[in-house]
Amino acid sequence: YVRVDNVSAAALATYRDAYGPDVTADDVFDYVYGLLHSPDYRTRYAADLKRALPRIPLVSSADDFRAFTDAGRQLAALHIGYESADPYPLTETDTAANGIPDTDRYRVTKLRHPGRGRSQDLTTLIYNQHLTLTGIPPQAHEYLVGSRSALAWLVDRYKVSTDPASGIVNDPNDWGAEHGDLRYVLDLVKRIVTVSVQTVQLVNALPALVLTGEPNATA
Protein backbone atom coordinates (compact mmCIF):
# COMPACT_ATOMS: atom_id res chain seq x y z
CA TYR A 1 0.00 0.00 0.00
CA VAL A 2 1.17 3.51 -0.80
CA ARG A 3 -0.20 6.41 1.21
CA VAL A 4 -1.29 9.39 -0.88
CA ASP A 5 -2.19 12.56 1.01
CA ASN A 6 -4.84 14.87 -0.37
CA VAL A 7 -2.75 17.83 0.74
CA SER A 8 -0.42 18.98 -2.01
CA ALA A 9 3.32 19.40 -1.47
CA ALA A 10 2.96 23.10 -2.21
CA ALA A 11 0.24 23.50 0.43
CA LEU A 12 2.29 21.61 3.01
CA ALA A 13 5.30 23.83 2.25
CA THR A 14 3.13 26.93 2.79
CA TYR A 15 2.00 25.73 6.20
CA ARG A 16 5.53 24.72 7.23
CA ASP A 17 6.84 28.13 6.23
CA ALA A 18 4.13 29.75 8.35
CA TYR A 19 4.09 27.46 11.39
CA GLY A 20 7.27 25.41 11.45
CA PRO A 21 8.91 22.34 9.87
CA ASP A 22 7.07 19.85 12.08
CA VAL A 23 3.69 20.49 10.44
CA THR A 24 2.36 17.32 8.78
CA ALA A 25 -0.25 16.72 6.09
CA ASP A 26 -2.56 15.38 8.81
CA ASP A 27 -2.09 18.64 10.73
CA VAL A 28 -3.18 20.62 7.66
CA PHE A 29 -6.28 18.43 7.22
CA ASP A 30 -7.22 18.78 10.89
CA TYR A 31 -6.60 22.55 10.79
CA VAL A 32 -8.96 22.91 7.83
CA TYR A 33 -11.62 20.78 9.54
CA GLY A 34 -11.35 22.84 12.71
CA LEU A 35 -11.40 26.14 10.82
CA LEU A 36 -14.52 25.16 8.87
CA HIS A 37 -16.34 24.83 12.20
CA SER A 38 -15.29 28.30 13.37
CA PRO A 39 -18.30 30.62 13.83
CA ASP A 40 -16.00 33.57 13.04
CA TYR A 41 -14.95 31.97 9.77
CA ARG A 42 -18.50 31.07 8.77
CA THR A 43 -19.77 34.56 9.54
CA ARG A 44 -16.92 36.46 7.90
CA TYR A 45 -17.04 34.46 4.67
CA ALA A 46 -20.75 33.58 4.61
CA ALA A 47 -21.34 35.21 1.21
CA ASP A 48 -18.37 33.42 -0.39
CA LEU A 49 -19.34 30.05 1.09
CA LYS A 50 -22.76 30.26 -0.57
CA ARG A 51 -21.35 30.46 -4.09
CA ALA A 52 -17.86 28.93 -4.11
CA LEU A 53 -15.67 26.23 -2.59
CA PRO A 54 -14.24 27.17 0.80
CA ARG A 55 -11.01 29.15 0.67
CA ILE A 56 -8.72 28.58 3.61
CA PRO A 57 -6.93 31.48 5.30
CA LEU A 58 -3.81 31.28 7.46
CA VAL A 59 -4.21 32.28 11.09
CA SER A 60 -1.71 34.75 12.46
CA SER A 61 0.13 32.58 15.01
CA ALA A 62 1.45 29.06 15.45
CA ASP A 63 -0.48 28.82 18.73
CA ASP A 64 -3.77 29.50 16.96
CA PHE A 65 -2.82 27.05 14.21
CA ARG A 66 -2.28 24.36 16.82
CA ALA A 67 -5.54 25.25 18.57
CA PHE A 68 -7.52 24.82 15.34
CA THR A 69 -5.57 21.67 14.49
CA ASP A 70 -6.19 20.04 17.87
CA ALA A 71 -9.89 20.96 17.77
CA GLY A 72 -10.20 19.70 14.19
CA ARG A 73 -8.61 16.38 15.13
CA GLN A 74 -11.02 15.92 18.03
CA LEU A 75 -14.01 16.94 15.91
CA ALA A 76 -13.07 14.55 13.11
CA ALA A 77 -12.65 11.65 15.54
CA LEU A 78 -15.97 12.51 17.18
CA HIS A 79 -17.87 12.72 13.89
CA ILE A 80 -16.31 9.68 12.25
CA GLY A 81 -16.78 7.56 15.37
CA TYR A 82 -20.27 8.76 16.27
CA GLU A 83 -21.57 5.20 16.59
CA SER A 84 -19.05 4.46 19.34
CA ALA A 85 -19.68 7.64 21.36
CA ASP A 86 -20.90 7.17 24.91
CA PRO A 87 -24.70 7.44 25.04
CA TYR A 88 -25.82 10.70 26.65
CA PRO A 89 -27.57 10.05 30.00
CA LEU A 90 -31.09 10.88 28.87
CA THR A 91 -33.91 9.70 31.13
CA GLU A 92 -35.87 6.75 29.77
CA THR A 93 -39.52 6.56 30.81
CA ASP A 94 -40.81 3.09 29.99
CA THR A 95 -44.54 2.44 30.39
CA ALA A 96 -44.53 -0.99 28.74
CA ALA A 97 -46.03 -3.84 30.69
CA ASN A 98 -43.68 -6.38 32.23
CA GLY A 99 -42.95 -9.24 29.92
CA ILE A 100 -43.30 -7.30 26.66
CA PRO A 101 -40.65 -8.61 24.23
CA ASP A 102 -37.74 -6.29 23.50
CA THR A 103 -38.61 -6.46 19.80
CA ASP A 104 -41.70 -4.42 20.69
CA ARG A 105 -40.24 -2.41 23.57
CA TYR A 106 -37.45 -0.89 21.44
CA ARG A 107 -39.16 -0.84 18.06
CA VAL A 108 -39.31 2.60 16.47
CA THR A 109 -41.91 3.61 13.90
CA LYS A 110 -41.54 7.40 13.89
CA LEU A 111 -39.67 9.56 16.37
CA ARG A 112 -41.21 12.89 17.36
CA HIS A 113 -41.03 15.71 19.86
CA PRO A 114 -44.26 16.43 21.74
CA GLY A 115 -46.18 19.53 20.73
CA ARG A 116 -46.18 21.46 17.48
CA GLY A 117 -44.52 24.53 16.06
CA ARG A 118 -43.15 26.92 18.67
CA SER A 119 -44.76 24.92 21.45
CA GLN A 120 -42.76 21.81 20.54
CA ASP A 121 -40.84 20.43 23.51
CA LEU A 122 -37.31 19.84 22.19
CA THR A 123 -36.10 18.53 25.56
CA THR A 124 -38.25 15.42 25.09
CA LEU A 125 -38.40 12.76 22.37
CA ILE A 126 -41.24 10.28 22.05
CA TYR A 127 -39.50 7.11 20.91
CA ASN A 128 -42.60 4.91 20.64
CA GLN A 129 -45.84 4.30 22.52
CA HIS A 130 -43.85 2.74 25.38
CA LEU A 131 -40.68 4.82 25.61
CA THR A 132 -40.03 8.52 26.06
CA LEU A 133 -36.61 10.19 26.37
CA THR A 134 -36.27 13.38 28.42
CA GLY A 135 -33.43 15.69 29.38
CA ILE A 136 -32.21 16.61 25.88
CA PRO A 137 -29.94 19.66 26.39
CA PRO A 138 -30.18 22.78 24.18
CA GLN A 139 -26.70 22.10 22.74
CA ALA A 140 -28.08 18.97 21.07
CA HIS A 141 -29.96 21.28 18.68
CA GLU A 142 -27.09 23.73 18.11
CA TYR A 143 -24.82 21.42 16.09
CA LEU A 144 -26.06 21.84 12.52
CA VAL A 145 -25.41 19.47 9.63
CA GLY A 146 -26.46 21.65 6.72
CA SER A 147 -29.70 23.41 7.59
CA ARG A 148 -30.77 21.17 10.47
CA SER A 149 -29.30 19.74 13.62
CA ALA A 150 -27.81 16.26 13.58
CA LEU A 151 -30.57 15.16 15.95
CA ALA A 152 -33.26 16.60 13.66
CA TRP A 153 -31.81 14.61 10.75
CA LEU A 154 -31.98 11.43 12.80
CA VAL A 155 -35.56 12.11 13.91
CA ASP A 156 -36.56 12.69 10.29
CA ARG A 157 -34.76 9.71 8.75
CA TYR A 158 -35.08 6.93 11.31
CA LYS A 159 -38.66 5.91 10.66
CA VAL A 160 -40.45 3.06 8.96
CA SER A 161 -41.35 4.12 5.43
CA THR A 162 -42.40 2.50 2.17
CA ASP A 163 -41.13 3.57 -1.23
CA PRO A 164 -44.28 4.24 -3.28
CA ALA A 165 -42.76 3.17 -6.60
CA SER A 166 -41.18 -0.14 -5.55
CA GLY A 167 -43.11 -0.99 -2.41
CA ILE A 168 -39.81 -1.61 -0.61
CA VAL A 169 -40.08 -1.03 3.14
CA ASN A 170 -37.26 0.87 4.82
CA ASP A 171 -37.19 -0.25 8.45
CA PRO A 172 -34.47 1.20 10.73
CA ASN A 173 -35.11 -1.61 13.22
CA ASP A 174 -33.73 -4.22 10.84
CA TRP A 175 -30.05 -3.43 11.38
CA GLY A 176 -30.28 -3.82 15.15
CA ALA A 177 -32.27 -7.04 14.83
CA GLU A 178 -29.73 -8.48 12.40
CA HIS A 179 -26.83 -7.61 14.74
CA GLY A 180 -28.45 -8.61 18.02
CA ASP A 181 -28.79 -5.03 19.27
CA LEU A 182 -32.46 -4.15 19.58
CA ARG A 183 -31.57 -0.90 21.38
CA TYR A 184 -29.48 0.31 18.43
CA VAL A 185 -31.73 3.22 17.39
CA LEU A 186 -32.48 4.20 21.00
CA ASP A 187 -28.80 4.32 21.91
CA LEU A 188 -27.98 6.04 18.61
CA VAL A 189 -30.25 8.91 19.63
CA LYS A 190 -28.28 9.22 22.86
CA ARG A 191 -24.96 9.01 21.02
CA ILE A 192 -25.96 11.76 18.60
CA VAL A 193 -26.83 13.95 21.59
CA THR A 194 -23.36 13.28 23.02
CA VAL A 195 -21.68 14.08 19.69
CA SER A 196 -23.72 17.27 19.34
CA VAL A 197 -22.99 18.51 22.87
CA GLN A 198 -19.26 17.78 22.61
CA THR A 199 -19.11 19.39 19.16
CA VAL A 200 -20.66 22.60 20.50
CA GLN A 201 -18.20 22.61 23.41
CA LEU A 202 -15.21 22.23 21.08
CA VAL A 203 -16.51 24.88 18.67
CA ASN A 204 -17.17 27.36 21.47
CA ALA A 205 -13.59 26.89 22.69
CA LEU A 206 -12.04 27.78 19.31
CA PRO A 207 -9.88 30.94 19.31
CA ALA A 208 -11.01 34.13 17.64
CA LEU A 209 -10.10 34.23 13.96
CA VAL A 210 -7.05 36.46 13.51
CA LEU A 211 -5.55 36.13 10.03
CA THR A 212 -2.28 36.92 8.30
CA GLY A 213 -4.11 37.90 5.12
CA GLU A 214 -6.97 37.04 2.80
CA PRO A 215 -8.02 33.43 2.26
CA ASN A 216 -6.09 31.30 -0.19
CA ALA A 217 -6.81 28.05 -2.01
CA THR A 218 -3.54 26.29 -1.23
CA ALA A 219 -5.14 23.54 0.87
Side-chain angles (χ1 to χ4, degrees):
Y1 295 96
V2 177
R3 171 172 169 151
V4 178
D5 290 312
N6 285 326
V7 176
S8 69
L12 183 58
T14 298
Y15 282 87
R16 284 178 172 172
D17 287 343
Y19 308 118
D22 294 333
V23 173
T24 66
D26 283 347
D27 290 337
V28 175
F29 178 90
D30 293 331
Y31 167 78
V32 172
Y33 198 69
L35 189 74
L36 292 176
H37 282 80
S38 164
D40 285 352
Y41 173 82
R42 292 186 173 191
T43 300
R44 188 177 304 186
Y45 301 108
D48 293 335
L49 291 171
K50 290 179 181 178
R51 61 174 182 262
L53 291 174
R55 298 174 69 84
I56 306 302
L58 299 178
V59 291
S60 61
S61 71
D63 287 343
D64 280 357
F65 172 78
R66 284 298 172 191
F68 279 106
T69 299
D70 291 344
R73 185 173 295 115
Q74 294 178 68
L75 286 166
L78 187 63
H79 298 162
I80 292 171
Y82 69 94
E83 287 189 301
S84 60
D86 291 333
Y88 195 85
L90 301 178
T91 300
E92 296 182 23
T93 300
D94 186 353
T95 61
N98 292 332
I100 183 175
D102 285 351
T103 50
D104 293 330
R105 185 183 303 275
Y106 299 119
R107 178 173 177 78
V108 61
T109 302
K110 181 175 175 60
L111 302 165
R112 65 181 179 89
H113 296 287
R116 293 184 179 182
R118 293 183 179 181
S119 65
Q120 202 171 48
D121 180 6
L122 298 180
T123 68
T124 300
L125 188 65
I126 298 173
Y127 185 82
N128 59 26
Q129 69 268 36
H130 309 299
L131 274 170
T132 300
L133 299 174
T134 56
I136 300 172
Q139 296 93 328
H141 305 286
E142 293 178 20
Y143 169 44
L144 300 182
V145 181
S147 59
R148 293 188 289 181
S149 70
L151 183 59
W153 278 106
L154 189 151
V155 169
D156 179 64
R157 299 295 180 178
Y158 276 71
K159 61 185 177 184
V160 178
S161 60
T162 303
D163 179 71
S166 65
I168 295 175
V169 176
N170 178 34
D171 189 338
N173 302 282
D174 288 345
W175 195 95
E178 292 170 1
H179 292 79
D181 183 8
L182 296 176
R183 285 180 55 98
Y184 171 74
V185 178
L186 180 66
D187 287 334
L188 182 61
V189 170
K190 296 182 176 184
R191 290 188 168 99
I192 293 301
V193 172
T194 293
V195 169
S196 300
V197 169
Q198 292 183 6
T199 295
V200 170
Q201 291 171 346
L202 287 167
V203 168
N204 287 344
L206 288 171
L209 193 63
V210 181
L211 309 178
T212 60
E214 287 305 303
N216 57 68
T218 56

